[in-house]
Amino acid sequence: MKTNFFDLNSVEFNRLIDSLVQPDYLNFNRMYSQKTIWKYRIKSFAENKSAKEFINQCNNRNILIWLYTILKPNDLKNRIIIKTQCAKIISNLLTDTRSLKAIDTAYNFCVGKAELKELETAKIYAEKAITWASKEIFGLERFLVEIDPPNNEDRDYNQIKIYTEELNEIYLELFCVTLAFEAVDYETLSANAELSISGIPAEFNFLMSQMVNLCRNKLPFNEIYFDENLVVID
């Protein structure tokens, strides 16, 4: 007897989640303590929900990608496709050629026009774009502290505003280049772009909802079946 993913009731689905939310599985490229936070966040959200309710109500694409990848770890193609499609949503905001190349390479890999080694090369360059943006942010944050130290009574508000706006722009750039990097990062279990910045800017809410809907509708959870012990049937 086999059971489709979307036929798992709340008891069965919570048993499944309990077996999956182990720190070793919560591969969000984060420290153990942060993995533990994710463990309880996922368990809390899954509580009393069936599999179908969980997918329909989850507004976190990281979790949706993570869950599918944990259940189907060998399905490299669908994992890359969904991350590539997410990256394409913000590709018009990208100016970094390394990141744009990463998105194109990931797409070409999915349609059989690029090899794994090309994906690995694109990943190296896409990661350099993240490093660049991170260094720019670090430098600007240090500079802002220097021009606006604690208890500063002689603030140049205009200058602070200019550099704060520049900092926000680079945070957005970091977010975008991280999405591009994810497209070629075939080894990581989940998506992490949202974690690259302290908060998603309001203007990105619509784009993020598009990504969530994309994951919800395109990840083939309906093709996953379990045996009576809730083990995935390949």
Side-chain angles (χ1 to χ4, degrees), residues 157-206:
Y157 288 100
N158 187 52
Q159 187 183 35
I160 292 171
K161 180 183 178 182
I162 291 172
Y163 284 106
T164 300
E165 289 175 351
E166 185 177 345
L167 178 63
N168 289 336
E169 288 178 3
I170 298 178
Y171 264 120
L172 291 180
E173 180 75 7
L174 175 61
F175 176 71
C176 291
V177 298
T178 304
L179 276 168
F181 170 76
E182 286 177 359
V184 287
D185 184 20
Y186 59 92
E187 295 175 309
T188 303
L189 297 184
S190 69
N192 297 293
E194 291 85 342
L195 303 179
S196 68
I197 57 178
S198 57
I200 303 299
E203 60 266 31
F204 266 62
N205 286 342
F206 176 67

Side-chain angles (χ1 to χ4, degrees), residues 96 98-99 123-139 170 173-174 177-178 181:
D96 188 278
R98 295 166 296 190
S99 301
K123 177 181 175 181
I124 292 171
Y125 286 105
E127 192 166 20
K128 288 181 179 179
I130 294 177
T131 302
W132 171 83
S134 299
K135 286 181 178 178
E136 288 291 305
I137 287 170
F138 178 74
I170 298 178
E173 180 75 7
L174 175 61
V177 298
T178 304
F181 170 76

